[in-house]
Amino acid sequence: MIVRRRWTAAATTAILISAVLSHPGSAAAAPAAPASPITLTATETALVRVQLRDQAQLDRLVAAGADLANRPRARDGRILADLVLTGTQLAELTAQGATAVQVVQRAGDGTRNYADSVRAAQARTTAGLRAPAAGQRTTAAAAVDTLQVQQAYWWTTGGQTFLQAQVATTATDDPDVEITVSWRTADGATGSFPLYRFEDSGEYQYHYNLPQPVPTRPVQLTATSSLGGVSRVVTPALWPNVSPPPLPAGYQKDFIDAYLTPIDIQARIKRLARQYRDLVDVIDLPNRTQGYRRNAAGYLGDPAVAAVVVESVRFGDQNMNGVQVRTVDPGRANRPLTVNYRDRVLTVSLATDTAGKTVSTTDEVAAAINARQPERFRATVEDGSAGLPMPVAGPTRIDDGLQGTEVPARPWTVQALRLGVHRDGSRVGVLAYSQEHAREWATPLVTLEFAERMLANARTDPATRELLEQVDIFVIPTVNPDGANYSFNDFNFQRKNLVNHCTGAARDPKNRTSWGVDINRNYTVGSYFDGYVGASANCLSGNYAGTAELSEAESSNVIALAKDHPNIKFAMNVHSYGGYFMWPPGAYRADGRITLPRPSIDESTLFLNSARRIVGAIAQERGTVTWPSQTGPVADVLYSAAGNSADQLYYELGIFAWDFEVGNDRWNPATNQWEGVGFQPPFDEAHGESQEYAGGLVEMVRVARDYAAAESAG
């Protein structure tokens, strides 16, 4: 069941500290509106790429806890944001001047894409942007600024060459500075494009733009500003300019033929342990999750008139689904309000006056249920019903609302695979883990494809066998199985786990798709509880940090595994979507944008050089290139993510911790635009992501091997 998702008032700073990109006076035209306006029905939910009207509109969305899928981007000076929206919310944004430019994914698409993937398998096997004001131009400057080209890279994918540049001006406090990049190719072709100002948490960072198509390899780039500044001439560098070893003849891959639910993943783990007994251990992680369970709940009365929400204290599967609740008129004068539970029926007999008229209010009914049946039920007045006369209503059946009939209703044991010849801690360890966020269906495909490749090729490929001799590999395919089960069966945009810490009116069933804890905001380093930005205390926020650091079984499992195996020195957290490659620091404090400590020069070099190697391995599969502007520390290339797992692994446990965001934007040559792929793309795209990013994980194992060898030699 899909329940209308509302903007919720964020109790703290939302995930994005508003970033500002501007290019006043740009001659570039705004992107054309779609040929047919994009609309949704009022209750339909979709992931939509929206061109926002201005910075103020983005600020309002952020403050209201909008479900932003990734960092807003620049396109021709306009603000593009990927938002999970209902039709009502999209209509509200459109009325405020926003324009929908792409439906990345609809709520029902996940179910269809899952079903399509299963059918295919059966067939095979039996920060933000600020737009310039119209016509705004920069006034004459008193002084010339200085420009520094921070990035200038080019690459070719799908037969098209792209150029990306990042330039900083010394006029950091002037929001009206325009910067234009001019380029020349080896055969003499020339062109130019504007850059857009990027601020984060009120601090100027640089000017940049999305990768721009150019006819062939660029050999010269210069930046000029509206203040008269001119950069030095630079030669754009090939990105990433690193290639992995070629795959040997007979190398086995492509083990993924369908989307996988947590139940499917559990079965595959069992099969791999049985098939490769000499190379695999299965680790049951210590903290069992809540499981695919919720409290039974329902409305006593009519929410449109007056109602009380009645909820079971125990989970619905614990003999509470189907319990009935009702209010009755005792039919006699001067009767008190009473509450009785018998034969799975909760009966509230309303109080009457001297004339025999019922006089109980919604508040009184809720209070009576809580006082007289606290071991079985809790009740709250439905929002908008406070103090109203309680009607005679029911009987109403309460239930947990869960649709996944094949999912076991019990606590879940999260499992990890341990791969290697020497699984005793004597070799350098690598951890790959995925699906902290439930809706990111492609991510377990990446980690399982990686595990299958390592195991299958260990018996036929000497290079793979050598890797498993030298590296101890740990894989957690699904960190958040409860949320994933809910995403597959109930609400495919579910991000969080299923633990409901909400109290009072927030427990209203209409909020059921907003309950849960964001697992990747529940760790201990740079957390919301320490004053860092990018998580929320609002239990309905998509970035709710939980009641305390490591309050959730899911996050505690990741850290328990890392602490129990101190040989782990490298880790990759696989997320989707957007095409990012990131590492710490991942969080900052808002005042002054004070990040967690920066890595040392040597460690920063290791992070970047390793990233080049891994990005090169990803590109080997189908030419997908993770942009240089999206390669770097989380806090710099995405946003501040308070309490994320990579920061805890790095700062507390000394692990070189990275993050993938698989699902890179795809270039559409027909529209000359980058287009998003979403959390649950058609399976062909998800399959491609599994293949290319599994290759990246194999390269991470080589990075770990080389690091261990260098440490031993040193």
Side-chain angles (χ1 to χ4, degrees):
M1 178 174 65
I2 296 175
V3 180
R4 182 178 184 271
R5 190 171 193 149
R6 303 182 301 171
W7 298 136
T8 57
T12 59
T13 308
I15 182 172
L16 285 175
I17 288 300
S18 177
V20 180
L21 289 136
S22 61
H23 187 73
S26 170
S36 299
I38 293 172
T39 59
L40 308 173
T41 63
T43 57
E44 185 180 8
T45 302
L47 176 61
V48 186
R49 182 158 290 182
V50 179
Q51 178 183 298
L52 299 177
R53 185 187 66 193
D54 53 24
Q55 177 64 30
Q57 190 172 41
L58 176 61
D59 290 344
R60 287 193 296 272
L61 291 173
V62 170
D67 193 346
L68 284 153
N70 52 28
R71 188 178 89 178
R73 297 172 174 176
R75 190 176 81 185
D76 298 331
R78 300 300 191 260
I79 305 169
L80 289 180
D82 290 5
L83 294 156
V84 177
L85 298 165
T86 65
T88 299
Q89 292 163 351
L90 179 58
E92 291 171 356
L93 285 179
T94 302
Q96 296 165 7
T99 304
V101 297
Q102 181 194 358
V103 175
V104 180
Q105 179 188 345
R106 296 178 187 270
D109 291 348
T111 301
R112 285 191 291 273
N113 292 341
Y114 172 59
D116 289 346
S117 79
V118 172
R119 283 194 291 270
Q122 292 170 340
R124 292 182 60 180
T125 63
T126 227
L129 316 172
R130 186 173 70 196
Q136 182 180 359
R137 299 300 301 177
T138 310
T139 57
V144 175
D145 60 337
T146 300
L147 301 182
Q148 179 186 9
V149 178
Q150 297 179 335
Q151 287 186 358
Y153 290 107
W154 69 276
W155 63 91
T156 299
T157 183
Q160 175 64 62
T161 300
F162 296 95
L163 172 64
Q164 185 163 54
Q166 183 174 296
V167 179
T169 173
T170 54
T172 58
D173 295 331
D174 186 344
D176 296 329
V177 176
E178 301 177 28
I179 295 180
T180 301
V181 162
S182 299
W183 50 264
R184 181 174 63 81
T185 64
D187 59 4
T190 60
S192 65
F193 54 86
L195 302 183
Y196 305 101
R197 179 182 176 90
F198 175 53
E199 291 182 8
D200 194 13
S201 192
E203 301 284 332
Y204 171 75
Q205 304 299 307
Y206 44 75
H207 282 65
Y208 91 115
N209 201 341
L210 301 183
Q212 300 294 302
V214 293
T216 186
R217 175 175 65 93
V219 296
Q220 182 175 301
L221 180 146
T222 306
T224 58
S225 88
S226 57
L227 298 181
V230 180
S231 75
R232 64 183 180 88
V233 178
V234 300
T235 300
L238 177 63
W239 174 265
N241 201 25
V242 178
S243 298
L247 297 177
Y251 186 85
Q252 300 176 71
K253 60 179 187 173
D254 198 359
F255 297 94
I256 298 299
D257 50 16
Y259 275 122
L260 300 174
T261 69
I263 295 173
D264 300 329
I265 291 169
Q266 202 173 54
R268 184 165 293 212
I269 289 173
K270 184 176 181 180
R271 190 261 293 169
L272 291 175
R274 183 176 62 249
Q275 184 176 353
Y276 300 99
R277 297 180 187 275
D278 58 326
L279 295 174
V280 173
D281 292 331
V282 176
I283 302 172
D284 289 340
L285 299 184
N287 304 290
R288 300 182 79 192
T289 69
Q290 171 181 291
Y292 182 67
R293 301 189 295 175
R294 277 189 167 166
N295 307 84
Y299 295 108
L300 181 55
D302 183 353
V305 180
V308 170
V309 176
V310 179
E311 179 184 9
S312 65
V313 171
R314 293 183 295 173
F315 292 118
D317 66 283
Q318 296 175 312
N319 203 34
M320 297 306 292
N321 281 334
V323 165
Q324 298 183 71
V325 296
R326 62 177 184 159
T327 55
V328 297
D329 182 344
R332 297 170 60 188
N334 297 318
R335 304 306 298 172
L337 177 64
T338 63
V339 177
N340 176 263
Y341 181 68
R342 182 178 178 182
D343 297 332
R344 289 172 50 82
V345 178
L346 177 68
T347 300
V348 180
S349 181
L350 301 176
T352 57
D353 60 14
T354 56
K357 179 183 178 182
T358 60
V359 293
S360 299
T361 66
T362 52
D363 301 76
E364 291 168 340
V365 168
I369 293 172
N370 291 329
R372 298 167 194 176
Q373 289 289 327
E375 74 284 358
R376 290 191 180 96
F377 301 99
R378 52 179 161 246
T380 56
V381 178
E382 201 275 335
D383 191 24
S385 295
L388 296 178
M390 185 70 205
V392 173
T396 297
R397 181 182 182 275
I398 66 171
D399 62 58
D400 58 20
L402 298 175
Q403 305 299 309
T405 56
E406 79 286 359
V407 183
R410 60 175 181 268
W412 191 283
T413 298
V414 180
Q415 293 182 314
L417 288 163
R418 187 176 190 178
L419 321 177
V421 175
H422 306 285
R423 303 183 301 280
D424 56 6
S426 63
R427 302 297 193 270
V428 63
V430 167
L431 168 62
Y433 58 111
S434 50
Q435 207 168 34
E436 281 185 324
H437 292 147
R439 62 194 179 190
E440 298 171 4
W441 292 4
T443 62
L445 309 186
V446 173
T447 50
L448 283 170
E449 171 70 19
F450 160 63
E452 294 248 23
R453 287 189 188 186
M454 298 304 298
L455 294 170
N457 290 291
R459 295 174 178 170
T460 58
D461 173 36
T464 301
R465 181 73 184 189
E466 181 184 15
L467 286 175
L468 285 180
E469 289 272 1
Q470 297 175 338
V471 182
D472 194 1
I473 299 172
F474 301 82
V475 179
I476 310 175
T478 178
V479 171
N480 180 11
D482 300 348
N485 278 319
Y486 191 72
S487 179
F488 273 101
N489 291 284
D490 300 272
F491 180 67
N492 63 301
F493 286 131
Q494 176 75 10
R495 171 183 170 93
K496 303 183 284 183
N497 71 1
L498 284 196
V499 178
N500 184 5
H501 292 296
C502 289
T503 59
R507 294 187 74 90
D508 190 314
K510 66 187 176 186
N511 296 320
R512 69 174 69 245
T513 60
S514 296
W515 294 332
V517 175
D518 183 345
I519 300 306
N520 204 33
R521 300 296 183 273
N522 190 236
Y523 295 89
T524 69
V525 175
S527 74
Y528 163 81
F529 304 98
D530 293 331
Y532 285 81
V533 168
S536 174
N538 181 350
C539 69
L540 299 178
S541 167
N543 307 107
Y544 175 49
T547 57
E549 295 170 348
L550 294 180
S551 62
E552 306 308 298
E554 295 87 347
S555 53
S556 297
N557 279 331
V558 174
I559 300 307
L561 179 68
K563 286 184 174 179
D564 288 347
H565 301 90
N567 62 317
I568 295 176
K569 297 300 179 186
F570 293 84
M572 183 69 75
N573 187 3
V574 184
H575 284 273
S576 76
Y577 67 102
Y580 291 81
F581 191 107
M582 302 173 291
W583 55 86
Y588 55 69
R589 298 178 188 271
D591 293 341
R593 198 179 181 278
I594 301 172
T595 69
L596 289 163
R598 297 279 175 171
S600 67
I601 293 176
D602 288 344
E603 289 187 341
S604 295
T605 300
L606 184 148
F607 274 126
L608 181 58
N609 289 345
S610 300
R612 285 175 175 268
R613 289 178 58 174
I614 296 169
V615 169
I618 293 167
Q620 186 183 46
E621 178 68 28
R622 55 174 184 168
T624 299
V625 174
T626 299
W627 305 342
S629 66
Q630 296 187 172
T631 302
V634 175
D636 294 343
V637 304
L638 188 58
Y639 40 59
S640 179
N644 70 83
S645 56
D647 279 347
Q648 184 167 356
L649 293 175
Y650 174 66
Y651 292 103
E652 183 181 75
L653 301 179
I655 296 170
F656 292 104
W658 287 291
D659 300 275
F660 279 155
E661 290 277 353
V662 311
N664 303 50
D665 276 16
R666 316 303 296 178
W667 178 252
N668 185 337
T671 62
N672 283 335
Q673 302 293 348
W674 294 99
E675 296 180 348
V677 298
F679 299 113
Q680 300 136 22
F683 180 70
D684 284 349
E685 169 60 26
H687 174 265
E689 293 168 18
S690 75
Q691 300 306 300
E692 61 194 1
Y693 277 89
L697 290 177
V698 173
E699 186 63 24
M700 183 176 69
V701 175
R702 295 192 188 103
V703 167
R705 175 202 60 191
D706 296 346
Y707 172 84
E711 289 287 293
S712 298

